[in-house]
């Protein structure tokens, strides 16, 4: 039988409240969210600078593919959908 170990930390009341709200929005328990953070840090997340570099490469590559697509309107339709989705989420694009 494998044994489990508990991890704990202290945070301010504001941090605790904000984290609990985010966790509830994702339909998780605090323990499950902390477990995900620990596992992501150990196994899932790379260097943030490397992740940004990879995302930039993927974005440029996808844009190139959209521009080269036989349907000349595809890129504009995708951008329109993307901007609409950002607006739904209350976000904004950099353009």
């Amino acid at each position: 039988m494998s044994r489990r170990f508990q991890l704990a930390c202290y945070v301010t009341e504001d941090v605790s409240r904000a984290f609990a709200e985010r966790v509830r929005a994702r339909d998780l328990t605090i323990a499950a969210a902390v477990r995900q953070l620990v596992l992501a840090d150990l196994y899932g997340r790379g260097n943030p600078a490397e992740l940004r570099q990879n995302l930039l490469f993927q974005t440029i590559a996808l844009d190139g593919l959209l521009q080269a697509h036989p349907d000349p309107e595809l890129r504009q339709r995708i951008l329109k959908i993307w901007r609409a989705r950002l607006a739904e989420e209350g976000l904004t694009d950099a353009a």
Side-chain angles (χ1 to χ4, degrees):
M1 179 176 181
S2 67
R3 186 170 177 193
R4 294 179 168 245
F5 295 90
Q6 180 178 354
L7 298 176
C9 69
Y10 293 97
V11 295
T12 64
E13 185 177 347
D14 291 346
V15 170
S16 175
R17 190 178 314 112
F19 186 71
E21 287 174 13
R22 288 179 59 99
V23 166
R24 278 193 297 275
R26 294 171 52 207
D27 293 323
L28 294 172
T29 64
I30 298 238
V34 170
R35 186 179 307 106
Q36 286 181 2
L37 288 171
V38 170
L39 293 174
D41 189 63
L42 289 173
Y43 306 113
R45 289 193 185 143
N47 177 334
E50 184 180 341
L51 292 173
R52 283 191 299 273
Q53 291 170 358
N54 290 341
L55 182 58
L56 181 58
F57 172 80
Q58 292 170 4
T59 302
I60 292 168
L62 182 57
D63 191 50
L65 291 171
L66 287 170
Q67 288 179 357
H69 194 274
D71 178 354
E73 301 300 316
L74 180 62
R75 182 176 182 273
Q76 288 307 312
R77 286 197 317 270
I78 296 296
L79 287 172
K80 184 178 178 181
I81 293 167
W82 173 65
R83 288 185 179 111
R85 181 70 58 87
L86 288 177
E88 285 176 17
E89 299 289 330
L91 303 171
T92 180
D93 64 325

